Amino acid sequence: MKREDIEKVISELEALKVKTAAEVEEARVRFLGKKGEITALFEEFRTVDKDAKREFGAPLNELKKAAMAKIEELRESIVEIAAETVREDLSMPGYPLSLGSRHPVSIVRQEIVDIFRKFGYDVAEGPEIEDDYHVFEALNFPPNHPARDMQDTFFVSAGHPNPLLLRTHTSSVQVRTMETQKVPIRVVCPGRVFRNEAISARAHCIFHQVEGLYIDEGVTFADLKQAILLFAREMFGPETQIRMRPSFFPFTEPSAEVDVSCNICHGKGCNICKGTGWLEIMGCGMVDPNVLEASGIDSTKYSGFAFGMGIERIAMLKWQVNDLRHYFENDLRFLREFSTAVEV
Ligand code: PHE
């Protein structure tokens, strides 16, 4: 047995660095365990002669005490480090919360609805799975009208006299409103609609509409024009002009297609308006007397107008997004473009 053996263990103990409780236990085993370095020195001590016993007895005992104290100290330091980590955590800056943003379709729907609310319209909603009666029959669609065809309509239960289907427009909500409310009626009906169309930049099998209905005594086409003009100016700016082109819908007579002056080139002609200076935004017309009668409204006393527009179409014009598919792909890079479009 030599002095250096003891000194070597002392310096090893001093150099000891641990980070975890498991490492403290490892160090204890290394020095004080059954096969530990200090235990080994004690074993050896038993075999040495008297002189050596006198020389090494006290320092060996000191060493063992020091080792035990060191291990204890290390064990306590681990608890302290843990406590310190908690304190540091508390002072750390918080994780940034990523705020969601509203979908562009929701933003525009809200904008359209808010404009009509200002004019005194209520909001009405109805089921997306509808029956043939509310989507077609009550709206004066002749029995063999092509829109009832499987080409356009997703049927849920075909072959039934009044089959269930996915509504192809929210005009069905207007029918339900006429059935349940008393005249005068002034409603807008926002909602999701479905058509069996090939998906492309300009068409999708799911899209959104806001349709409107106004019925009272003496409502005329002039009222319709004025309502649409006011809407267009609120939506696209005070300089906006509108024009109406004759059209056809089974549920309105006369019917028209509405264009607004192109808000990009201000009528000069650009690639958004394809050089015409005009952009198509909606269909409209005077409610056909057959439709009023089908819902029990006296068409000799009351008249009304209706209109309907695609929300994605308006959103495309507002933000010059020229591919409809962007609205349905949930690509965050696209959706985040709109995160400042409304204040949260
Ligand atoms: N329902 C029609 C469509 O979906 C739009 C429309 C509504 C047209 C009201 C005229 C009057 O295309």
Side-chain angles (χ1 to χ4, degrees), residues 96-321:
L97 269 185
S98 64
L99 260 192
S101 56
R102 281 169 60 206
H103 191 281
V105 169
S106 297
I107 296 170
V108 173
R109 181 193 51 205
Q110 196 57 48
E111 226 173 289
I112 298 169
V113 166
D114 284 347
I115 292 170
F116 283 103
R117 270 227 178 94
K118 269 199 278 190
F119 303 161
Y121 285 70
D122 286 332
V123 177
E125 288 187 7
E128 291 179 351
I129 300 177
E130 258 294 3
D131 52 23
D132 181 278
Y133 176 80
H134 287 94
V135 174
F136 298 126
E137 198 174 325
L139 287 161
N140 202 34
F141 278 80
N144 296 317
H145 193 279
R148 294 177 178 226
D149 198 284
M150 297 292 253
Q151 294 288 315
D152 290 304
T153 309
F154 289 112
F155 284 91
V156 176
S157 62
H160 191 267
N162 184 20
L164 287 180
L165 42 88
L166 300 184
R167 65 183 180 193
T168 56
H169 52 187
T170 58
S171 305
S172 51
V173 185
Q174 305 178 3
V175 175
R176 288 188 179 275
T177 307
M178 288 188 283
E179 283 172 351
T180 53
Q181 285 183 23
K182 289 216 174 77
V183 183
I185 291 172
R186 219 183 302 192
V187 284
V188 276
C189 315
R192 186 156 50 169
V193 300
F194 309 84
R195 287 184 199 175
N196 193 357
E197 304 230 18
I199 295 170
S200 71
R202 296 179 62 85
H204 209 287
C205 54
I206 301 176
F207 60 99
H208 300 79
Q209 288 189 321
V210 177
E211 296 216 351
L213 176 70
Y214 177 33
I215 302 173
D216 203 348
E217 277 180 56
V219 178
T220 68
F221 200 89
D223 299 317
L224 168 61
K225 260 174 116 172
Q226 188 61 20
I228 302 299
L229 179 65
L230 284 174
F231 164 74
R233 293 196 165 161
E234 291 274 331
M235 191 74 212
F236 297 106
E239 308 297 321
T240 308
Q241 302 286 320
I242 62 165
R243 73 174 184 185
M244 287 179 160
R245 290 175 287 108
S247 185
F248 173 80
F249 299 101
F251 35 90
T252 48
E253 183 59 35
S255 306
E257 214 84 59
V258 181
D259 297 339
V260 290
S261 51
C262 179
N263 60 338
I264 320 286
C265 63
H266 303 287
K268 283 190 211 81
C270 66
N271 62 347
I272 301 285
C273 61
K274 301 211 177 63
T276 63
W278 295 96
L279 300 161
E280 187 188 319
I281 58 157
M282 68 168 94
C284 65
M286 300 305 291
V287 182
D288 193 293
N290 286 347
V291 173
L292 296 175
E293 296 292 340
S295 296
I297 295 171
D298 183 355
S299 65
T300 58
K301 189 166 175 212
Y302 298 107
S303 58
F305 63 71
F307 54 86
M309 67 193 102
I311 298 179
E312 286 83 357
R313 169 92 188 138
I314 306 280
M316 281 166 102
L317 299 178
K318 187 178 162 76
W319 287 302
Q320 284 112 58
V321 173

Side-chain angles (χ1 to χ4, degrees), residues 59-77:
L60 257 186
N61 277 329
E62 284 297 311
L63 175 64
K64 189 174 180 181
K65 253 201 249 164
M68 284 163 66
K70 175 82 182 181
I71 299 289
E72 199 44 44
E73 183 194 313
L74 289 175
R75 196 169 276 143
E76 273 163 20
S77 77

Side-chain angles (χ1 to χ4, degrees), residues 315-332:
M316 281 166 102
L317 299 178
K318 187 178 162 76
W319 287 302
Q320 284 112 58
V321 173
N322 46 18
D323 192 328
L324 192 68
R325 288 168 293 197
H326 286 307
Y327 291 111
F328 302 100
E329 281 168 358
N330 281 336
D331 184 334
L332 287 178

Side-chain angles (χ1 to χ4, degrees), residues 80-91:
E80 250 171 50
I81 288 170
E84 199 141 301
T85 316
V86 171
R87 275 203 296 278
E88 271 173 25
D89 269 351
L90 293 179
S91 68

